[in-house]
Amino acid sequence: AELGLSRFEAVAVQHCPEAAAVILAHPTGWSLAYSGDCRPSRQLAAAARGVQVMIHEATFEDDLADHAVSKRHSTSGEALRVAGEAAAECTILTHFSQRYPKAVATRSPTDGPAAGGAQVSARSPNSAATAITAAADATVITAFDGMRVRWDRLGE
């Protein structure tokens, strides 16, 4: 079936052979970048510049960056940096390790949600709450299994 997309672009990423992120756009104005499993990618950030929504895997908290490197995944902070470099309006973090029973934490640069950044609390089994800084004007959502997102409600 015809999708009517104005853009469909694959960007090679570091994970397994032939792994790729994808960028989609539609003539009505919506745009989306999806990282798939990968290490952070400047090429993805550049290609996705200005997307409305960046869906990026965030398998590990920042204190497990060595695991992220060895398993070719991203930390939450790395995913947010890619989204920030892309100037994404909204970032959805996904693909969390099962070691985290709740979402990873994010905070605005002023240590609170009032500046426009998102804040959710989280605890890993072996550490206190972890904080990841998001851009003050960006929306950050932590995904969960079976989650549905309404495009018209993303900025709320």
Side-chain angles (χ1 to χ4, degrees):
E2 178 67 33
L3 297 176
L5 296 174
S6 58
R7 182 176 181 196
F8 182 98
E9 180 179 351
V11 178
V13 292
Q14 182 186 2
H15 184 64
C16 62
E18 301 184 36
V22 66
I23 302 157
L24 307 171
H26 194 270
T28 59
W30 63 261
S31 58
L32 170 98
Y34 176 61
S35 72
D37 290 355
C38 68
R39 290 292 301 139
S41 169
R42 290 193 185 275
Q43 292 79 11
L44 172 58
R49 185 90 178 134
V51 294
Q52 286 182 311
V53 177
M54 167 78 72
I55 302 170
H56 203 293
E57 74 108 321
T59 303
F60 297 100
E61 288 184 338
D62 284 350
D63 60 350
L64 293 174
D66 55 333
H67 291 290
V69 170
S70 69
K71 297 185 184 318
R72 296 187 198 111
H73 285 282
S74 297
T75 67
S76 299
E78 289 170 333
L80 289 173
R81 281 189 289 281
V82 171
E85 289 174 19
E89 294 174 25
C90 177
T91 303
I92 301 174
L93 299 177
T94 189
H95 194 56
F96 300 106
S97 169
Q98 291 181 349
R99 72 175 32 97
Y100 307 120
K102 297 181 182 175
V104 290
T106 62
R107 68 167 185 243
S108 74
T110 59
D111 292 324
Q119 185 174 21
V120 295
S121 57
R123 294 201 181 268
S124 67
N126 301 320
S127 67
T130 301
I132 305 299
T133 301
D137 59 347
T139 299
V140 178
I141 299 169
T142 54
F144 55 86
D145 291 348
M147 180 174 144
R148 291 181 178 207
V149 177
R150 285 187 43 182
W151 198 269
D152 63 333
R153 307 274 318 262
L154 283 173
E156 295 180 8

